[in-house]
Amino acid sequence: MELLITELSKDKFEITVKANLITKHIVFVTDEILFNLTKNKVSKEDLLNFSFNFLLERESNTSILSSFDLTVISKYFPEYTKKVSDKFNV
């Protein structure tokens, strides 16, 4: 499986997941979200890469929402925030 992350604007990214079926997802990551999750220790792209791998461990790419704000992940998977903290030593 391959992830392609394209910055569409400062806070808007397109993630293409190349798997059996190719899917595209629009994800919003504001500076505030980045700071709250990682204390700016990583780039938005690194956070997105980690976040999509996190999601893909739990569901297929065809089950991932086509457009969402990154904070939505923790509503479906409450452990997400802790996993981010652990990964990036926040």
Side-chain angles (χ1 to χ4, degrees):
M1 190 164 327
E2 182 182 354
L3 294 178
L4 295 173
I5 300 172
T6 305
E7 184 176 348
L8 301 177
S9 71
K10 182 175 170 280
D11 297 335
K12 183 179 178 182
F13 296 82
E14 178 182 73
I15 292 79
T16 303
V17 182
K18 292 186 175 182
N20 289 339
L21 290 172
I22 296 173
T23 57
K24 291 182 183 270
H25 312 268
I26 301 296
V27 184
F28 297 90
V29 184
T30 63
D31 291 342
E32 180 181 2
I33 292 169
L34 182 68
F35 182 79
N36 289 340
L37 286 172
T38 72
K39 303 297 183 244
N40 294 335
K41 289 187 171 187
V42 298
S43 68
K44 290 180 181 180
E45 289 86 352
D46 287 342
L47 178 58
L48 283 164
N49 188 56
F50 172 81
S51 300
F52 261 78
N53 282 304
F54 173 90
L55 288 171
L56 290 164
E57 288 172 4
R58 288 155 180 81
E59 60 186 348
S60 69
N61 62 317
T62 57
S63 297
I64 298 173
L65 297 171
S66 61
S67 180
F68 61 97
D69 179 297
L70 200 64
T71 59
V72 164
I73 296 173
S74 61
K75 291 181 171 77
Y76 293 95
F77 302 101
E79 72 275 19
Y80 170 71
T81 304
K82 180 169 179 7
K83 293 280 188 182
V84 171
S85 293
D86 291 349
K87 170 70 177 174
F88 299 116
N89 299 311
V90 178

